[in-house]
Amino acid sequence: MNMSPWPAHGGQAEALLAHFGLPADHRLEDFSANLNPLGPPAWVSDWLVKQLAGLERYPAPDYGAARQAIAVHHQLQPEQVLLTNGGAEAIFLAAALHAGKRAVVLTPSFGEYARACRAHRLAVTEIALSAPHFALDVDSLLTEVDGIDVLFLCRPNNPTATLIDAPAMEALLDVTASIGCRVVVDEAFVDMVGDTQLESSLLQASLAPLLARYSHLILLHSMTKFYTLPGLRLGYMLADGATINSAESHQPPWSVNHLAAELVAPLLADREFAQRTLQWIANERPRMQQALTKLGLEVVPSHACFFLIRPGAEHAMTSDALFEGLLRRGMLVRHTHSFIGLDGDWLRIALRDGPANQRLLEVIYDCLR
Ligand SMILES: Cc1ncc(COP(=O)(O)O)c(C=O)c1O
């Protein structure tokens, strides 16, 4: 049970308004959800309407067309792909593969790894990343994984927006391979790490090319963030064929609905949307990073579509006070009371479109004055 006065999930606007004694119809701009503000692609709603007749049939049980499209996207084989009901189902399937064993998760990170592990009776050890940089020290992590069956990482990490670099990942994969520790990497936000060129971004940010060398690597993807379709539920797991088969054996039949499954190939084919998103993020992220820092906030350098911030030493203001000031002025950001290791000390703000980001900067300025 959540005994904290802070609602467990940051985006629970209704509960937060009630907590601060604000009316339920208090107008809010939502900076708490990490979704691509350019999406969903404009054609998606018409496309979905045209597919409605397909709801009268069961989806093809192996989701062949979607798997093929994802495999081509990552230059893998369809046997290495499992379509899932959002990245969330992929996390729970990765935990199911290691039921009853021992897991390491990092904190602060996305809380669902620990929850999924507990649901599948894994013993969970938490390893803390330290403020203000939240960098992972791979050497010290490796001293902790001896005797551990599976390590969960988020890359880039939610909520810190930090990215473990590729050489560090390879060093970690070499050692974990030798001691038989599986590595699960959640790449839910990897599409937004950003290289402005689509082709190089795809190939460099995701660890998918490393699957050819490391059979103990499991990658989890979400398609709800980049395409702004969290209500549709769409994600996938990438791993070697045997791991995918085992994961599939834990998955309920027809776990992914017809509309979501059919949408995979056209979404991945929309290069223009992907390219436009990368270009936008390459401009907007550094602009916001700079502007937030200039306001006197401490900002963790971001590799994702969100920022972890807190008032800097020059402001005698807590993150809680800034959160409340923003809420009263109509801006909902993500408090971090439910992230182990942050405990409310920081705030997470999502990137939105340019004018909305500008409004947020002005309101933050007003709060800090
Ligand atoms: C790091 C991370 N992984 C996975 C998910 C789940 O995404 P999905 O909507 O695809 O289930 C989230 C959602 O917030 C997330 O932050």
Side-chain angles (χ1 to χ4, degrees), residues 86-88 91 110 113 154 158 186 188-189 222-225 233-234:
I91 293 169
F110 190 47
Y113 314 128
C154 186
N158 178 13
D186 183 350
F189 293 102
S222 164
M223 292 182 75
T224 71
K225 317 284 183 198
R233 316 305 304 129
L234 190 54

Side-chain angles (χ1 to χ4, degrees), residues 134-269:
F134 302 101
L136 177 67
D137 178 345
V138 172
D139 291 335
S140 85
L141 174 68
L142 289 174
T143 63
E144 310 265 0
V145 293
D146 208 11
I148 294 294
D149 302 291
V150 57
L151 165 64
F152 282 82
L153 300 173
C154 186
R155 184 177 182 274
N157 188 35
N158 178 13
T160 58
T162 49
L163 184 81
I164 310 166
D165 67 25
M169 276 311 306
E170 289 193 45
L172 190 146
L173 286 165
D174 284 335
V175 175
T176 47
S178 71
I179 59 172
C181 173
R182 277 260 187 70
V183 179
V184 176
V185 183
D186 183 350
E187 298 195 324
F189 293 102
V190 84
D191 295 332
M192 306 204 220
V193 164
D195 180 313
T196 49
Q197 287 314 305
L198 183 57
E199 299 306 326
S200 49
S201 167
L202 270 178
L203 291 176
Q204 285 169 17
S206 169
L207 299 179
L210 295 183
L211 289 168
R213 276 166 48 205
Y214 299 104
S215 61
H216 69 307
L217 174 62
I218 299 175
L219 302 179
L220 313 180
H221 276 249
S222 164
M223 292 182 75
T224 71
K225 317 284 183 198
F226 192 76
Y227 295 102
T228 328
L229 293 166
L232 195 70
R233 316 305 304 129
L234 190 54
Y236 53 92
M237 175 186 285
L238 304 174
D240 77 337
T243 305
I244 291 296
N245 278 340
S246 319
E248 196 169 6
S249 72
H250 291 281
Q251 191 179 34
W254 306 293
S255 186
V256 181
N257 72 74
H258 158 76
L259 296 176
E262 292 296 316
L263 195 51
V264 170
L267 283 178
L268 294 178

Side-chain angles (χ1 to χ4, degrees), residues 215-354:
S215 61
H216 69 307
L217 174 62
I218 299 175
L219 302 179
L220 313 180
H221 276 249
S222 164
M223 292 182 75
T224 71
K225 317 284 183 198
F226 192 76
Y227 295 102
T228 328
L229 293 166
L232 195 70
R233 316 305 304 129
L234 190 54
Y236 53 92
M237 175 186 285
L238 304 174
D240 77 337
T243 305
I244 291 296
N245 278 340
S246 319
E248 196 169 6
S249 72
H250 291 281
Q251 191 179 34
W254 306 293
S255 186
V256 181
N257 72 74
H258 158 76
L259 296 176
E262 292 296 316
L263 195 51
V264 170
L267 283 178
L268 294 178
D270 190 346
R271 319 292 280 185
E272 188 276 330
F273 175 78
Q275 182 65 67
R276 193 153 43 85
T277 296
L278 289 178
Q279 195 63 54
W280 166 79
I281 210 164
N283 293 328
E284 192 64 4
R285 184 170 51 203
R287 181 185 86 81
M288 279 298 279
Q289 176 100 30
Q290 231 179 20
L292 291 164
T293 309
K294 225 169 132 195
L295 287 176
L297 296 169
E298 209 176 321
V299 187
V300 179
S302 171
H303 296 271
C305 56
F306 51 89
F307 293 97
L308 195 65
I309 62 157
R310 66 181 175 186
E314 70 194 76
H315 297 292
M317 182 181 255
T318 62
S319 286
D320 279 355
L322 179 56
F323 178 91
E324 183 178 349
L326 290 170
L327 194 77
R328 291 190 181 283
R329 290 167 177 80
M331 299 286 174
L332 176 64
V333 301
R334 176 70 157 92
H335 72 74
T336 58
H337 284 276
S338 48
F339 283 105
I340 296 170
L342 295 182
D343 309 312
D345 235 11
W346 297 75
L347 299 173
R348 194 191 67 197
I349 57 173
L351 272 179
R352 296 202 42 200
D353 62 39

